Amino acid sequence: AQSVTQLGSHVSVSEGALVLLRCNYSSSVPPYLFWYVQYPNQGLQLLLKYTSAATLVKGINGFEAEFKKSETSFHLTKPSAHMSDAAEYFCAVSVRNQGGKLIFGQGTELSVKP
Amino acid sequence: GAGVSQSPRYKVAKRGQDVALRCDPISGHVSLFWYQQALGQGPEFLTYFQNEAQLDKSGLPSDRFFAERPEGSVSTLKIQRTQQEDSAVYLCASSLEGRGTNYEQYFGPGTRLTVT
């Protein structure tokens, strides 16, 4: 069975500081991994995805994530936080043999202080 | 349309009422997914369609939940005899391909259901 664990339900950073949101996965097969962002009262927007090509994946809005098989991790980073980055972030794994349904982590709420 | 749309955006139902939630996927998208997102939680899978075929309904929490996509486009999630534990945001997503699991799922804004 596949699962995702996001460490830290709330992360607070200062504007301009490094953003690091942690995600660990469990999968019996090579996974496809995703990071989504959710703003209040909106649906989820894809930030980036890993589909077994390059292990360092660049996404929108300056975010990137690195797939580390040895650590079963897919942490999300951004060098310099912006106020507009404040949102809920979800890591997800795709279930390959079940049509690609997504298994999500519990989410991490990112706050950005001025 | 430009994206996935859902209606209504907000629904308040008295316990025991039936509700129907609609999802309009992106035109041409083969796959359609429903997820339930409880307050403060990540979305949880409910059911999946490939065109009009419902291929996976393993996430539906009870037989009060029913989903259909009769013409392979618009989908309706119906909840009969709503209970307070059904209160959640119901998200619909669509993706281009039927069998590819690395294709992006595009999410609608969700329907927030409150059962009183």
Side-chain angles (χ1 to χ4, degrees), chain B residues 20-86:
Chain B
L21 313 180
R22 176 187 170 104
C23 172
D24 281 89
I26 294 173
S27 178
H29 276 197
V30 171
S31 297
L32 186 146
F33 302 81
W34 284 98
Y35 295 87
Q36 180 190 59
Q37 185 176 19
L39 187 65
Q41 304 293 318
E44 293 192 355
F45 170 79
L46 293 177
T47 187
Y48 156 62
F49 290 86
Q50 184 174 323
N51 294 308
E52 69 279 1
Q54 188 175 19
L55 299 186
D56 186 348
K57 52 183 182 180
S58 62
L60 296 177
S62 77
D63 59 6
R64 296 186 296 104
F65 286 71
F66 172 77
E68 59 183 5
R69 195 187 184 197
E71 297 179 357
S73 179
V74 171
S75 178
T76 303
L77 176 67
K78 298 178 179 179
I79 308 173
Q80 297 177 323
R81 305 180 304 280
T82 52
Q83 304 294 315
Q84 283 194 319
E85 61 263 29
D86 300 334

Side-chain angles (χ1 to χ4, degrees), chain A residues 32 41 49 94 100 102 106, chain B residues 9 35 37 41 101-102 105:
Chain A
Y32 291 152
N41 298 316
K49 62 181 181 182
S94 174
L102 297 172
Q106 294 289 83
Chain B
R9 289 292 313 277
Y35 295 87
Q37 185 176 19
Q41 304 293 318
T101 56
N102 62 340
Q105 292 186 25

